[in-house]
Amino acid sequence: MRIGLDVRWIDSSGIGTTIRGLLDYLTSAQLGQMVLYGVPGWKNPYPCEFREVPEAVYGIRQHMSYASRLNKDVMDLFHVPHFDVPYFYKGPFISTVHDLIHFKFPEYSTKPLTKLYSGLMLRHVSKCAQRIIVVSQQTKRDLIQFFPEAELKITVLNPAVDKSFSPVAQNELEKIINRYSLKKGYALYVGNLRASKNTPFLIRAYSHLLKNNPLLPPLVLAGKNSLPPQEIPHLPQNVRLLGSVPQGDLPALYSGASVFVFPSLYEGFGIPPLEAMACGTPVIASRVASIPEVCGEAALYFDPHSEKGLEDVLLELIGNESLKISLRQKGFDQVKRFSWAVWARETWKIYEEVVEAGRS
């Protein structure tokens, strides 16, 4: 069996995390049957063949030149871990659809024609893919709502948390958070700062809360800032933007927080709350999309449009040590429901089923 896998986004968060989760948990024998297609200069650490792909994801050239090279490279199946499949590729393929945010909420995109392009590609995947992997029941419902022809092709597989996420020992924790001039006990958000993640709301709401609740812990936001300056409210002293931080620092940043806040307006899955739980940090999150599906009973929820809702759950948690302990234990249990080993095993099973069907 010869399987192609597009790994152009392997070093990114989100989609990249799921690519690494797959490759890190396949066996050596399975990896030996794979061909990886990635960006020029990428250092391939896996025992797989590698092909350089200069064409960018979401670029027009990939639909012609990349597709042309793929058509000449003999393989049993090609796996694209997102919906932007090279349109003129003619071989059998499967696709992973993480969410429909570009199609459902084009207002969150900074690029014109986002809904038109994503709709074209999602329709192509829905009609032409042999199978479609989605990361949650929410994404399955969204895909079927707009592209009902996809229904019989869908398999739901949940991502998981990297094993590096666990409570960090006190000495190591303090060494890392001291580099950011932090002290234990802050409230934390991890993720991109952009409208769909609802970070402008979080900053505004927290700033207002601090005026009436001066004993609230500082709010720390870690992640790439994709917001235009006019969308970032004036920051009080107790709100810190760290920007992008090294992946290796995240377990300590999670472990040093007294609460993790996840106010997102839409998620196909949403790994950061699980990462926080794996590090023993209580989670409060918005009750929308896939977030309750992922967090279960291990989080407290609020309306992501309501400052009062955020205030209520935050104050409920901050002043209640027994609730923190309960959420901490529930969080550890919730994380165990998700496994990269299962992700890899079930993905390989799909490969085998599709290849076998194609040969019969």
Side-chain angles (χ1 to χ4, degrees), residues 77-228:
L77 180 65
F78 184 46
H79 180 186
V80 183
H82 45 78
F83 63 70
D84 198 26
V85 177
Y87 196 87
F88 293 108
Y89 172 63
K90 300 185 182 303
F93 71 90
I94 70 172
S95 173
T96 305
V97 177
H98 295 259
D99 60 57
L100 273 71
I101 189 167
H102 298 305
F103 184 76
K104 290 187 66 176
F105 303 104
E107 64 271 24
Y108 294 143
S109 176
T110 58
K111 298 179 180 179
L113 304 179
T114 295
K115 184 171 184 176
L116 179 64
Y117 181 81
S118 58
L120 173 68
M121 298 314 302
L122 285 164
R123 186 168 291 105
H124 175 62
V125 166
S126 298
K127 289 183 176 180
C128 299
Q130 272 61 44
R131 295 280 286 275
I132 302 169
I133 297 171
V134 298
V135 297
S136 65
Q137 294 293 336
Q138 177 67 49
T139 300
K140 178 180 179 178
R141 289 192 294 269
D142 290 343
L143 190 59
I144 293 171
Q145 177 186 354
F146 294 103
F147 305 97
E149 62 270 31
E151 182 170 5
L152 297 180
K153 301 179 178 183
I154 294 174
T155 299
V156 178
L157 295 181
N158 297 136
V161 175
D162 187 85
K163 58 187 176 183
S164 65
F165 289 93
S166 61
V168 175
Q170 184 72 16
N171 290 345
E172 180 66 15
L173 188 159
E174 290 184 353
K175 182 174 70 174
I176 292 175
I177 68 173
N178 283 345
R179 293 208 301 263
Y180 297 95
S181 301
L182 297 175
K183 294 183 179 180
K184 283 183 64 177
Y186 46 85
L188 178 67
Y189 165 83
V190 173
N192 284 339
L193 277 62
R194 60 187 186 211
S196 65
K197 300 294 186 180
N198 210 22
T199 44
F201 160 84
L202 176 59
I203 295 171
R204 286 194 303 269
Y206 210 88
S207 300
H208 293 160
L209 294 181
L210 284 168
K211 294 178 181 178
N212 298 321
N213 303 276
L215 297 181
L216 278 180
L219 173 65
V220 175
L221 299 97
K224 179 182 177 181
N225 186 357
S226 302
L227 294 170

Side-chain angles (χ1 to χ4, degrees), residues 183-188 206 216-218 253-261 280-284 314 317-318 320-321 324 327:
K183 294 183 179 180
K184 283 183 64 177
Y186 46 85
L188 178 67
Y206 210 88
L216 278 180
L253 287 173
Y254 281 123
S255 298
S258 61
V259 57
F260 179 75
V261 187
T281 304
V283 171
I284 64 174
L314 188 60
L317 180 62
I318 292 297
N320 191 329
E321 289 302 317
K324 289 180 184 178
L327 286 177

Side-chain angles (χ1 to χ4, degrees), residues 39-76:
V39 297
W42 177 64
K43 304 299 183 183
N44 176 20
Y46 302 100
C48 309
E49 293 182 53
F50 176 64
R51 305 278 191 274
E52 289 191 349
V53 182
E55 297 86 358
V57 179
Y58 297 133
I60 297 300
R61 287 178 57 230
Q62 70 162 342
H63 296 298
M64 293 169 283
S65 54
Y66 182 22
S68 177
R69 294 197 307 278
L70 287 171
N71 287 330
K72 297 173 184 176
D73 202 353
V74 178
M75 66 182 94
D76 294 293

